[in-house]
Amino acid sequence: MRRLASVLAASVLVLTGCALPRHYPEVTFYANGKTIRVEPAVYCDLNGDNCAERGKPARLKVPAGKVVQISVDGQIANGIWEAVFLYREANGQERTSGTNLLGKGEDFTYTLALPNKTDQLLGIEIHEAAAAVMQTGEPLLRGFWAVEVTG
C-alpha cells in the first residue's frame, strides 16, 4: 500500500509539473526609492520563433533628473541585451536613445542617466537578442520588457 501511495504521489507531481507556468526571465528597475520586477511583454524561443505576449508595460515614477538602475536576470545577461529609452527634453522635444549591446556574461546591471537634469524619462525597453540574426546582420529580438514612466 505504501508503494502504491508513493507511485500515485509521483504521478501527481509529474502531471501537475507539466501544468506549472514556465519561468520567464525578469528585469528589475529601481528609481526614486521604489523597485519593480517586470516580466517580458513579449517573449520568444531562442531562435526568435513561437512568440507569446506576456503582459502590459509596468509603470514606474521617475522624477526629472533621477537615474534608473536596471538589473537583468542571469539568462538575459549571459546573452546579448540593450536598453532603449524615450525621454523629453526641457524644450519639449522627445528623443530616443539607448545603450550599446550589453551582456555576454559580463553586464547584469545598467544605470540609466539622461543627458540633462531637466530631461524627463518617458519609457524604457529592455531588448534581448535571439540566437538568430536578420539578413541585415542585426540580432533578431527574442523578448522585450517595457516600463512606462511617470514624472
Side-chain angles (χ1 to χ4, degrees):
M1 184 68 166
R2 178 171 282 196
R3 183 170 181 221
L4 179 59
S6 64
V7 169
L8 286 174
S11 297
V12 169
L13 286 175
V14 169
L15 291 174
T16 58
C18 293
L20 292 175
R22 181 177 162 208
H23 169 72
Y24 291 94
E26 294 179 329
V27 176
T28 303
F29 298 86
Y30 174 80
N32 202 36
K34 181 167 182 178
T35 300
I36 59 171
R37 293 182 61 87
V38 179
E39 289 190 339
V42 173
Y43 203 71
C44 309
D45 65 18
L46 192 55
N47 293 321
D49 299 319
N50 302 315
C51 301
E53 285 193 39
R54 302 272 313 132
K56 296 180 181 180
R59 292 182 160 251
L60 182 63
K61 183 175 182 174
V62 183
K66 298 293 182 182
V67 300
V68 178
Q69 295 172 331
I70 301 166
S71 177
V72 299
D73 186 285
Q75 179 179 327
I76 301 167
N78 285 328
I80 296 173
W81 64 281
E82 67 179 348
V84 177
F85 44 96
L86 174 68
Y87 64 98
R88 184 180 306 115
E89 295 177 329
N91 65 8
Q93 187 170 5
E94 291 187 3
R95 299 228 183 246
T96 302
S97 190
T99 64
N100 293 323
L101 294 178
L102 303 168
K104 303 173 203 111
E106 299 174 6
D107 303 302
F108 289 81
T109 62
Y110 179 78
T111 300
L112 192 162
L114 296 177
N116 300 299
K117 294 274 187 203
T118 55
D119 294 342
Q120 176 61 60
L121 187 63
L122 301 173
I124 307 168
E125 285 188 2
I126 302 300
H127 299 165
E128 178 186 8
V133 177
M134 294 186 290
Q135 290 179 343
T136 62
E138 294 289 318
L140 187 64
L141 190 65
R142 179 179 190 186
F144 75 89
W145 295 254
V147 175
E148 291 178 0
V149 175
T150 60

